[in-house]
Amino acid sequence: SAYKQDDNSHEKLNIKTAIALLEKEMIIEALNRHEGNKSLAIAELGISRRSFYEKLSRYGIQWSKESASGREG
């Protein structure tokens, strides 16, 4: 079938895991774009401040200029 996933896939990626990976990446990218300004990142992401901080904690995200270096675009 056209929807069959490659059986050689080493990583099982369910919807919950995929969403978590996407959220983490989007948060990190927003923080990088706004040089760590959380208020601007929150506004860009369109989520509540509470939700943002819960996700920072859940995903262990700690932004610093050093961690963002080389990611300017």
Side-chain angles (χ1 to χ4, degrees):
S1 128
Y3 297 126
K4 185 175 180 184
Q5 186 175 357
D6 182 6
D7 290 330
N8 295 329
S9 172
H10 297 289
E11 222 178 289
K12 288 277 184 188
L13 190 65
N14 63 30
I15 287 177
K16 201 171 189 178
T17 304
I19 290 170
L21 290 171
L22 180 61
E23 282 183 338
K24 183 176 180 178
E25 183 67 23
M26 289 181 73
I27 290 168
I28 291 168
E29 288 178 0
L31 284 167
N32 286 342
R33 266 193 296 282
H34 298 293
E35 299 181 347
N37 185 315
K38 293 181 178 80
S39 293
L40 292 176
I42 289 165
E44 176 184 318
L45 294 165
I47 59 176
S48 71
R49 182 169 291 277
R50 178 178 177 166
S51 179
F52 179 82
Y53 280 99
E54 286 173 352
K55 291 174 193 306
L56 285 185
S57 177
R58 182 182 312 139
Y59 303 133
I61 298 169
Q62 295 180 338
W63 191 92
S64 70
K65 282 196 182 253
E66 292 77 36
S67 67
S69 65
R71 294 186 133 207
E72 292 93 343

